[in-house]
Amino acid sequence: MGGAFLAAAVLARLGGRIGLPTIPLFILAGILLGPHTPGYTLLSNPHDLEMLSALGLVLLLFYLGLEFHLDDLKTGGRKMAIAGGTYLVLNVGAGLGFGFALGWGTSEALVLAGVLGISSSAIVTKILVDLKRIGNPETRPILGIIVVEDVFLALYLAALQPILSGADSLSAMLVDGGKAFGFLLLLALAARFGTKIIGKLMNTKDDELLVISFLGAAVFVAGISEMFGVADAIGAFMVGLMLGSTASGERILKLVHPLRDAFGAIFFFAFGLSIDPGDLPSVFWPVVAAVVLTLAMNVAAGLAASRVYDFGRQATANIATTLVARGEFALILATMAAAAGLDKRLSPFIAGYVLLLAVLAPLAAGRSHWLARILPGPRGGKDGGGDGDDDGSGGGGKDGDKDQQQVPVSV
Protein backbone atom coordinates (compact mmCIF):
# COMPACT_ATOMS: atom_id res chain seq x y z
CA MET A 1 0.00 0.00 0.00
CA GLY A 2 2.89 2.32 0.80
CA GLY A 3 4.41 1.52 -2.57
CA ALA A 4 1.10 2.33 -4.25
CA PHE A 5 0.96 5.76 -2.62
CA LEU A 6 4.61 6.51 -3.46
CA ALA A 7 4.34 5.33 -7.07
CA ALA A 8 1.23 7.42 -7.61
CA ALA A 9 2.93 10.44 -6.01
CA VAL A 10 6.11 10.15 -8.10
CA LEU A 11 4.23 9.87 -11.41
CA ALA A 12 1.86 12.70 -10.44
CA ARG A 13 4.81 14.97 -9.61
CA LEU A 14 6.47 14.23 -12.95
CA GLY A 15 3.22 14.73 -14.85
CA GLY A 16 2.46 17.95 -12.97
CA ARG A 17 5.60 19.51 -14.43
CA ILE A 18 4.13 19.27 -17.92
CA GLY A 19 0.59 20.16 -16.88
CA LEU A 20 -1.04 16.71 -16.85
CA PRO A 21 -3.89 15.99 -14.39
CA THR A 22 -3.32 13.42 -11.67
CA ILE A 23 -6.12 10.94 -12.45
CA PRO A 24 -4.61 9.33 -15.60
CA LEU A 25 -1.21 9.22 -13.89
CA PHE A 26 -2.59 7.33 -10.88
CA ILE A 27 -4.17 4.83 -13.29
CA LEU A 28 -0.89 4.56 -15.23
CA ALA A 29 1.00 3.82 -11.99
CA GLY A 30 -1.38 0.93 -11.33
CA ILE A 31 -0.93 -0.42 -14.86
CA LEU A 32 2.88 -0.26 -14.70
CA LEU A 33 3.12 -1.96 -11.29
CA GLY A 34 0.27 -4.44 -11.82
CA PRO A 35 0.42 -8.16 -12.58
CA HIS A 36 -0.24 -7.69 -16.30
CA THR A 37 2.86 -5.60 -17.06
CA PRO A 38 6.42 -6.98 -17.46
CA GLY A 39 8.87 -6.02 -14.74
CA TYR A 40 8.40 -5.52 -11.03
CA THR A 41 4.92 -6.39 -9.73
CA LEU A 42 3.92 -4.46 -6.64
CA LEU A 43 0.57 -6.25 -6.19
CA SER A 44 -0.21 -9.53 -7.89
CA ASN A 45 -3.87 -9.50 -6.84
CA PRO A 46 -5.85 -6.26 -7.40
CA HIS A 47 -8.46 -7.50 -4.90
CA ASP A 48 -5.95 -6.85 -2.09
CA LEU A 49 -6.90 -3.17 -2.38
CA GLU A 50 -10.62 -3.79 -2.90
CA MET A 51 -11.86 -2.33 0.40
CA LEU A 52 -9.51 0.66 0.26
CA SER A 53 -10.54 1.27 -3.36
CA ALA A 54 -14.22 1.16 -2.35
CA LEU A 55 -13.50 3.67 0.43
CA GLY A 56 -11.83 5.95 -2.10
CA LEU A 57 -14.90 5.83 -4.34
CA VAL A 58 -17.20 6.54 -1.38
CA LEU A 59 -15.11 9.55 -0.32
CA LEU A 60 -14.98 10.96 -3.87
CA LEU A 61 -18.77 11.05 -4.11
CA PHE A 62 -19.18 12.14 -0.48
CA TYR A 63 -16.97 15.15 -1.18
CA LEU A 64 -18.96 15.96 -4.31
CA GLY A 65 -22.17 15.89 -2.26
CA LEU A 66 -20.64 18.30 0.25
CA GLU A 67 -19.83 20.77 -2.53
CA PHE A 68 -23.25 20.43 -4.14
CA HIS A 69 -26.14 22.47 -2.74
CA LEU A 70 -29.80 22.24 -3.70
CA ASP A 71 -29.78 26.02 -4.11
CA ASP A 72 -27.29 25.56 -6.96
CA LEU A 73 -30.16 24.31 -9.11
CA LYS A 74 -31.89 27.67 -8.74
CA THR A 75 -28.78 29.68 -9.69
CA GLY A 76 -28.84 30.33 -13.40
CA GLY A 77 -32.34 28.88 -13.60
CA ARG A 78 -33.70 28.24 -17.05
CA LYS A 79 -30.48 28.90 -18.99
CA MET A 80 -28.49 26.43 -16.89
CA ALA A 81 -31.16 23.76 -17.32
CA ILE A 82 -31.23 24.26 -21.10
CA ALA A 83 -27.42 24.24 -21.46
CA GLY A 84 -26.99 21.22 -19.16
CA GLY A 85 -29.90 19.32 -20.70
CA THR A 86 -28.60 19.94 -24.21
CA TYR A 87 -25.14 18.74 -23.20
CA LEU A 88 -26.56 15.51 -21.77
CA VAL A 89 -28.87 14.85 -24.73
CA LEU A 90 -26.00 15.24 -27.20
CA ASN A 91 -23.33 13.34 -25.29
CA VAL A 92 -25.37 10.64 -23.53
CA GLY A 93 -27.41 10.10 -26.70
CA ALA A 94 -24.25 9.79 -28.80
CA GLY A 95 -22.75 7.42 -26.20
CA LEU A 96 -25.85 5.20 -26.27
CA GLY A 97 -25.82 5.09 -30.07
CA PHE A 98 -22.10 4.33 -30.05
CA GLY A 99 -22.66 1.51 -27.55
CA PHE A 100 -25.31 -0.13 -29.70
CA ALA A 101 -23.13 0.33 -32.79
CA LEU A 102 -20.32 -1.66 -31.12
CA GLY A 103 -22.73 -4.55 -30.59
CA TRP A 104 -21.41 -5.54 -27.17
CA GLY A 105 -24.86 -5.80 -25.60
CA THR A 106 -27.69 -3.63 -24.22
CA SER A 107 -26.31 -3.37 -20.67
CA GLU A 108 -22.90 -2.49 -22.09
CA ALA A 109 -24.48 0.21 -24.29
CA LEU A 110 -26.17 1.75 -21.24
CA VAL A 111 -22.84 1.82 -19.41
CA LEU A 112 -21.12 3.43 -22.41
CA ALA A 113 -23.85 6.08 -22.57
CA GLY A 114 -22.81 7.25 -19.11
CA VAL A 115 -19.10 6.88 -19.81
CA LEU A 116 -19.20 9.02 -22.95
CA GLY A 117 -21.85 11.39 -21.64
CA ILE A 118 -20.59 12.76 -18.31
CA SER A 119 -17.60 15.04 -17.74
CA SER A 120 -15.08 14.78 -14.91
CA SER A 121 -15.91 17.57 -12.43
CA ALA A 122 -12.50 17.11 -10.77
CA ILE A 123 -10.51 17.62 -13.99
CA VAL A 124 -12.82 20.38 -15.28
CA THR A 125 -12.42 22.35 -12.05
CA LYS A 126 -8.65 21.84 -12.10
CA ILE A 127 -8.46 23.10 -15.70
CA LEU A 128 -10.44 26.24 -14.83
CA VAL A 129 -8.15 26.99 -11.89
CA ASP A 130 -4.90 26.18 -13.71
CA LEU A 131 -5.81 28.36 -16.72
CA LYS A 132 -7.04 31.21 -14.49
CA ARG A 133 -10.50 31.18 -16.05
CA ILE A 134 -12.54 31.28 -12.84
CA GLY A 135 -13.57 34.88 -13.57
CA ASN A 136 -14.46 34.30 -17.22
CA PRO A 137 -18.15 34.74 -18.21
CA GLU A 138 -18.34 31.23 -19.70
CA THR A 139 -17.22 29.61 -16.44
CA ARG A 140 -20.65 29.98 -14.85
CA PRO A 141 -22.44 27.91 -17.55
CA ILE A 142 -19.57 25.37 -17.47
CA LEU A 143 -20.11 24.82 -13.75
CA GLY A 144 -23.88 24.90 -14.30
CA ILE A 145 -23.56 22.04 -16.79
CA ILE A 146 -21.46 20.13 -14.23
CA VAL A 147 -24.22 20.59 -11.63
CA VAL A 148 -26.88 19.26 -14.03
CA GLU A 149 -24.59 16.31 -14.85
CA ASP A 150 -24.19 15.51 -11.14
CA VAL A 151 -27.97 15.39 -10.64
CA PHE A 152 -28.34 13.21 -13.74
CA LEU A 153 -25.54 10.91 -12.56
CA ALA A 154 -27.27 10.20 -9.25
CA LEU A 155 -30.51 9.27 -11.01
CA TYR A 156 -28.76 7.35 -13.78
CA LEU A 157 -26.73 5.16 -11.41
CA ALA A 158 -29.84 4.43 -9.34
CA ALA A 159 -31.71 3.37 -12.51
CA LEU A 160 -28.76 1.39 -13.90
CA GLN A 161 -28.05 -0.66 -10.77
CA PRO A 162 -31.13 -2.95 -11.04
CA ILE A 163 -30.37 -3.56 -14.72
CA LEU A 164 -26.76 -4.52 -14.04
CA SER A 165 -27.78 -6.71 -11.10
CA GLY A 166 -29.28 -9.12 -13.61
CA ALA A 167 -32.92 -9.28 -12.57
CA ASP A 168 -34.53 -12.46 -13.93
CA SER A 169 -37.70 -10.83 -15.22
CA LEU A 170 -39.37 -7.47 -15.86
CA SER A 171 -41.32 -7.74 -12.60
CA ALA A 172 -38.13 -8.50 -10.64
CA MET A 173 -36.44 -5.54 -12.32
CA LEU A 174 -39.35 -3.26 -11.40
CA VAL A 175 -39.22 -4.47 -7.80
CA ASP A 176 -35.47 -3.88 -7.62
CA GLY A 177 -35.88 -0.47 -9.24
CA GLY A 178 -38.70 0.43 -6.84
CA LYS A 179 -36.57 -0.50 -3.83
CA ALA A 180 -33.66 1.54 -5.16
CA PHE A 181 -35.70 4.65 -5.94
CA GLY A 182 -37.64 4.33 -2.68
CA PHE A 183 -34.42 4.34 -0.68
CA LEU A 184 -33.05 7.17 -2.81
CA LEU A 185 -36.24 9.16 -2.19
CA LEU A 186 -35.88 8.56 1.55
CA LEU A 187 -32.33 9.92 1.46
CA ALA A 188 -33.47 12.90 -0.63
CA LEU A 189 -36.23 13.73 1.87
CA ALA A 190 -33.71 13.48 4.72
CA ALA A 191 -31.41 15.85 2.83
CA ARG A 192 -34.26 18.28 2.21
CA PHE A 193 -36.07 18.29 5.55
CA GLY A 194 -33.78 16.64 8.11
CA THR A 195 -30.84 19.02 7.95
CA LYS A 196 -31.45 20.60 11.37
CA ILE A 197 -31.68 17.27 13.19
CA ILE A 198 -28.69 15.82 11.35
CA GLY A 199 -26.73 19.01 12.04
CA LYS A 200 -27.38 18.74 15.79
CA LEU A 201 -26.33 15.08 15.84
CA MET A 202 -23.14 15.85 13.93
CA ASN A 203 -22.22 19.08 15.70
CA THR A 204 -19.06 18.94 17.83
CA LYS A 205 -16.09 21.24 18.38
CA ASP A 206 -13.67 18.30 18.44
CA ASP A 207 -12.23 17.65 14.96
CA GLU A 208 -11.37 14.06 15.85
CA LEU A 209 -14.96 13.24 16.78
CA LEU A 210 -16.27 15.07 13.72
CA VAL A 211 -14.03 13.06 11.37
CA ILE A 212 -15.09 9.78 12.95
CA SER A 213 -18.75 10.81 12.81
CA PHE A 214 -18.97 11.90 9.17
CA LEU A 215 -16.74 9.05 7.96
CA GLY A 216 -18.87 6.52 9.82
CA ALA A 217 -22.08 8.05 8.46
CA ALA A 218 -20.82 8.08 4.85
CA VAL A 219 -19.52 4.50 4.88
CA PHE A 220 -22.50 3.12 6.83
CA VAL A 221 -25.11 4.66 4.51
CA ALA A 222 -23.06 3.56 1.49
CA GLY A 223 -23.23 -0.03 2.76
CA ILE A 224 -26.97 0.19 3.46
CA SER A 225 -27.46 1.65 -0.04
CA GLU A 226 -25.96 -1.46 -1.63
CA MET A 227 -28.47 -3.62 0.27
CA PHE A 228 -31.30 -1.65 -1.37
CA GLY A 229 -29.77 -1.84 -4.85
CA VAL A 230 -28.42 1.71 -4.90
CA ALA A 231 -24.75 2.18 -5.77
CA ASP A 232 -22.69 2.75 -2.61
CA ALA A 233 -21.20 5.88 -4.15
CA ILE A 234 -24.65 7.46 -4.50
CA GLY A 235 -25.46 6.71 -0.86
CA ALA A 236 -22.26 8.53 0.11
CA PHE A 237 -23.20 11.41 -2.24
CA MET A 238 -26.54 11.82 -0.46
CA VAL A 239 -24.85 11.86 2.96
CA GLY A 240 -22.54 14.58 1.68
CA LEU A 241 -25.57 16.48 0.41
CA MET A 242 -27.13 16.31 3.89
CA LEU A 243 -24.02 17.29 5.83
CA GLY A 244 -23.00 20.02 3.41
CA SER A 245 -26.03 22.08 4.41
CA THR A 246 -25.36 21.83 8.16
CA ALA A 247 -23.41 24.27 10.33
CA SER A 248 -20.48 21.82 10.28
CA GLY A 249 -20.46 21.61 6.47
CA GLU A 250 -17.47 23.89 5.88
CA ARG A 251 -15.37 22.13 8.52
CA ILE A 252 -16.25 18.71 7.13
CA LEU A 253 -15.30 19.87 3.63
CA LYS A 254 -11.82 20.84 4.85
CA LEU A 255 -11.33 17.75 7.03
CA VAL A 256 -12.37 15.23 4.37
CA HIS A 257 -10.23 16.79 1.61
CA PRO A 258 -6.95 14.96 2.45
CA LEU A 259 -8.85 11.70 3.01
CA ARG A 260 -10.51 12.07 -0.38
CA ASP A 261 -7.16 12.73 -2.09
CA ALA A 262 -5.38 9.81 -0.42
CA PHE A 263 -8.00 7.10 -0.85
CA GLY A 264 -9.14 8.51 -4.19
CA ALA A 265 -5.59 7.93 -5.46
CA ILE A 266 -5.85 4.30 -4.29
CA PHE A 267 -9.16 3.93 -6.17
CA PHE A 268 -7.57 5.07 -9.45
CA PHE A 269 -4.40 3.04 -8.76
CA ALA A 270 -6.43 -0.11 -8.07
CA PHE A 271 -8.37 0.39 -11.30
CA GLY A 272 -5.04 0.53 -13.13
CA LEU A 273 -4.00 -2.77 -11.50
CA SER A 274 -6.97 -4.51 -13.10
CA ILE A 275 -6.08 -3.34 -16.61
CA ASP A 276 -4.13 -5.65 -18.88
CA PRO A 277 -2.21 -3.49 -21.40
CA GLY A 278 -2.38 -6.44 -23.78
CA ASP A 279 -6.13 -5.88 -24.06
CA LEU A 280 -5.77 -2.24 -25.11
CA PRO A 281 -4.85 -2.93 -28.78
CA SER A 282 -8.11 -4.86 -29.19
CA VAL A 283 -10.12 -1.75 -28.31
CA PHE A 284 -7.79 0.81 -29.93
CA TRP A 285 -10.07 1.78 -32.80
CA PRO A 286 -13.25 1.90 -30.67
CA VAL A 287 -11.39 4.20 -28.23
CA VAL A 288 -10.23 6.48 -31.06
CA ALA A 289 -13.76 6.58 -32.51
CA ALA A 290 -15.24 7.36 -29.08
CA VAL A 291 -12.73 10.19 -28.51
CA VAL A 292 -13.50 11.73 -31.91
CA LEU A 293 -17.24 11.43 -31.23
CA THR A 294 -16.85 13.06 -27.80
CA LEU A 295 -14.85 15.96 -29.24
CA ALA A 296 -17.51 16.53 -31.92
CA MET A 297 -20.40 16.39 -29.42
CA ASN A 298 -18.62 18.82 -27.09
CA VAL A 299 -18.17 21.32 -29.88
CA ALA A 300 -21.88 20.99 -30.70
CA ALA A 301 -22.77 21.40 -27.01
CA GLY A 302 -20.48 24.43 -26.75
CA LEU A 303 -22.20 26.05 -29.71
CA ALA A 304 -25.62 25.36 -28.17
CA ALA A 305 -24.60 26.79 -24.77
CA SER A 306 -23.09 29.86 -26.40
CA ARG A 307 -26.32 30.52 -28.28
CA VAL A 308 -28.24 30.38 -24.97
CA TYR A 309 -25.81 32.76 -23.25
CA ASP A 310 -24.97 34.91 -26.33
CA PHE A 311 -21.23 34.14 -26.21
CA GLY A 312 -18.66 34.70 -28.93
CA ARG A 313 -16.38 32.16 -30.56
CA GLN A 314 -13.62 32.14 -27.94
CA ALA A 315 -16.04 31.45 -25.08
CA THR A 316 -17.63 28.71 -27.20
CA ALA A 317 -14.22 27.11 -27.70
CA ASN A 318 -13.49 27.37 -23.98
CA ILE A 319 -16.74 25.60 -23.09
CA ALA A 320 -16.22 22.86 -25.69
CA THR A 321 -12.62 22.04 -24.72
CA THR A 322 -12.97 22.38 -20.93
CA LEU A 323 -15.85 19.88 -20.66
CA VAL A 324 -14.12 17.21 -22.77
CA ALA A 325 -12.41 15.52 -19.80
CA ARG A 326 -13.75 12.18 -18.59
CA GLY A 327 -12.56 10.64 -15.34
CA GLU A 328 -13.95 9.47 -12.01
CA PHE A 329 -17.55 8.88 -13.13
CA ALA A 330 -16.46 6.73 -16.07
CA LEU A 331 -14.38 4.63 -13.70
CA ILE A 332 -17.32 4.26 -11.31
CA LEU A 333 -19.33 2.81 -14.20
CA ALA A 334 -16.39 0.57 -15.15
CA THR A 335 -16.28 -0.79 -11.60
CA MET A 336 -20.04 -1.47 -11.66
CA ALA A 337 -19.75 -3.16 -15.05
CA ALA A 338 -16.92 -5.42 -13.86
CA ALA A 339 -18.87 -6.39 -10.73
CA ALA A 340 -21.89 -7.23 -12.91
CA GLY A 341 -19.80 -9.51 -15.16
CA LEU A 342 -20.39 -7.53 -18.35
CA ASP A 343 -18.24 -7.73 -21.49
CA LYS A 344 -14.56 -7.88 -20.52
CA ARG A 345 -13.68 -5.38 -23.24
CA LEU A 346 -15.43 -2.62 -21.27
CA SER A 347 -12.65 -2.16 -18.69
CA PRO A 348 -9.75 -1.71 -21.15
CA PHE A 349 -11.97 0.43 -23.38
CA ILE A 350 -12.92 2.76 -20.52
CA ALA A 351 -9.32 2.85 -19.26
CA GLY A 352 -7.97 3.83 -22.68
CA TYR A 353 -10.77 6.35 -23.24
CA VAL A 354 -10.30 8.02 -19.85
CA LEU A 355 -6.51 8.09 -20.13
CA LEU A 356 -6.58 9.64 -23.59
CA LEU A 357 -9.20 12.30 -22.83
CA ALA A 358 -7.77 13.13 -19.40
CA VAL A 359 -4.49 13.96 -21.13
CA LEU A 360 -6.03 15.69 -24.17
CA ALA A 361 -8.52 17.84 -22.23
CA PRO A 362 -6.06 20.19 -20.46
CA LEU A 363 -3.94 20.42 -23.61
CA ALA A 364 -6.97 21.26 -25.76
CA ALA A 365 -8.35 23.75 -23.21
CA GLY A 366 -5.02 25.59 -23.13
CA ARG A 367 -5.11 25.92 -26.92
CA SER A 368 -8.80 26.65 -27.34
CA HIS A 369 -7.98 29.73 -29.43
CA TRP A 370 -7.06 27.35 -32.27
CA LEU A 371 -10.60 25.98 -32.24
CA ALA A 372 -12.08 29.48 -31.95
CA ARG A 373 -10.54 30.45 -35.29
CA ILE A 374 -12.53 27.83 -37.22
CA LEU A 375 -15.84 27.91 -35.33
CA PRO A 376 -18.90 29.36 -37.05
CA GLY A 377 -20.64 32.40 -35.63
CA PRO A 378 -19.92 36.07 -34.95
CA ARG A 379 -16.79 37.32 -33.25
CA GLY A 380 -18.85 39.48 -30.91
CA GLY A 381 -21.00 38.61 -27.92
CA LYS A 382 -19.97 38.07 -24.33
CA ASP A 383 -16.67 36.34 -24.65
CA GLY A 384 -13.98 34.59 -22.67
CA GLY A 385 -11.37 36.69 -24.41
CA GLY A 386 -10.29 37.80 -27.87
CA ASP A 387 -10.44 35.41 -30.80
CA GLY A 388 -7.11 33.79 -31.40
CA ASP A 389 -5.27 34.92 -28.27
CA ASP A 390 -1.97 33.15 -28.35
CA ASP A 391 -1.62 32.42 -24.67
CA GLY A 392 -4.62 30.11 -24.66
CA SER A 393 -5.80 31.43 -21.32
CA GLY A 394 -9.18 32.38 -22.62
CA GLY A 395 -8.76 35.96 -21.51
CA GLY A 396 -8.33 39.16 -23.45
CA GLY A 397 -4.94 40.80 -23.68
CA LYS A 398 -1.93 39.64 -21.69
CA ASP A 399 -3.67 39.35 -18.37
CA GLY A 400 -6.48 37.18 -19.68
CA ASP A 401 -9.16 38.94 -17.60
CA LYS A 402 -8.55 42.69 -17.85
CA ASP A 403 -10.96 43.39 -20.67
CA GLN A 404 -13.95 41.68 -19.15
CA GLN A 405 -16.09 42.08 -16.10
CA GLN A 406 -15.16 39.64 -13.36
CA VAL A 407 -17.94 37.21 -12.56
CA PRO A 408 -17.78 35.75 -9.04
CA VAL A 409 -18.12 31.99 -9.22
CA SER A 410 -18.21 29.49 -6.36
CA VAL A 411 -16.29 26.32 -7.16
Side-chain angles (χ1 to χ4, degrees), residues 84-347:
T86 302
Y87 187 90
L88 287 173
V89 168
L90 288 172
N91 285 273
V92 175
L96 185 63
F98 179 80
F100 281 121
L102 285 178
W104 292 354
T106 301
S107 296
E108 287 79 1
L110 291 171
V111 170
L112 288 173
V115 170
L116 270 66
I118 299 175
S119 307
S120 166
S121 59
I123 299 178
V124 167
T125 303
K126 183 173 176 58
I127 288 172
L128 291 172
V129 173
D130 289 350
L131 296 180
K132 299 184 173 78
R133 291 181 181 170
I134 292 298
N136 283 19
E138 74 276 4
T139 295
R140 186 177 294 278
I142 287 174
L143 295 178
I145 290 171
I146 291 294
V147 168
V148 173
E149 284 185 317
D150 292 344
V151 175
F152 172 80
L153 177 74
L155 298 174
Y156 191 71
L157 288 182
L160 193 60
Q161 186 72 20
I163 298 174
L164 297 185
S165 65
D168 297 330
S169 63
L170 179 60
S171 60
M173 185 179 296
L174 290 175
V175 170
D176 290 344
K179 286 168 56 180
F181 276 105
F183 184 71
L184 197 62
L185 179 61
L186 181 64
L187 292 178
L189 290 173
R192 178 66 180 87
F193 300 108
T195 304
K196 290 184 179 180
I197 298 174
I198 295 170
K200 289 180 180 179
L201 293 173
M202 196 63 56
N203 188 34
T204 175
K205 294 181 179 179
D206 190 317
D207 283 351
E208 179 184 13
L209 293 178
L210 184 58
V211 170
I212 295 171
S213 298
F214 73 68
L215 190 58
V219 176
F220 182 74
V221 174
I224 297 296
S225 297
E226 281 199 328
M227 294 174 62
F228 282 90
V230 177
D232 53 359
I234 293 305
F237 174 84
M238 297 303 295
V239 174
L241 193 64
M242 298 176 205
L243 299 184
S245 301
T246 65
S248 303
E250 289 296 326
R251 286 175 60 208
I252 294 174
L253 194 65
K254 292 178 181 178
L255 291 170
V256 77
H257 199 285
L259 292 171
R260 180 210 69 173
D261 288 345
F263 290 99
I266 291 296
F267 168 71
F268 297 122
F269 182 88
F271 180 77
L273 288 176
S274 66
I275 299 302
D276 185 349
D279 293 335
L280 294 176
S282 66
V283 294
F284 175 78
W285 289 114
V287 166
V288 171
V291 168
V292 172
L293 179 63
T294 300
L295 293 173
M297 289 300 102
N298 273 263
V299 171
L303 289 168
S306 293
R307 177 167 293 187
V308 172
Y309 286 89
D310 190 27
F311 286 146
R313 290 192 292 184
Q314 183 60 50
T316 302
N318 289 350
I319 294 172
T321 54
T322 303
L323 289 169
V324 159
R326 301 294 186 265
E328 61 273 20
F329 300 142
L331 300 186
I332 291 170
L333 289 167
T335 303
M336 291 174 62
L342 299 187
D343 195 302
K344 292 183 178 180
R345 290 172 290 185
L346 272 178
S347 287

Side-chain angles (χ1 to χ4, degrees), residues 20-21 23-25 27 123 280 283-292 295 324-327 348-364:
L20 293 179
I23 289 176
L25 296 169
I27 299 172
I123 299 178
L280 294 176
V283 294
F284 175 78
W285 289 114
V287 166
V288 171
V291 168
V292 172
L295 293 173
V324 159
R326 301 294 186 265
F349 171 86
I350 294 173
Y353 176 75
V354 168
L355 282 169
L356 193 53
L357 278 183
V359 172
L360 284 178
L363 299 177

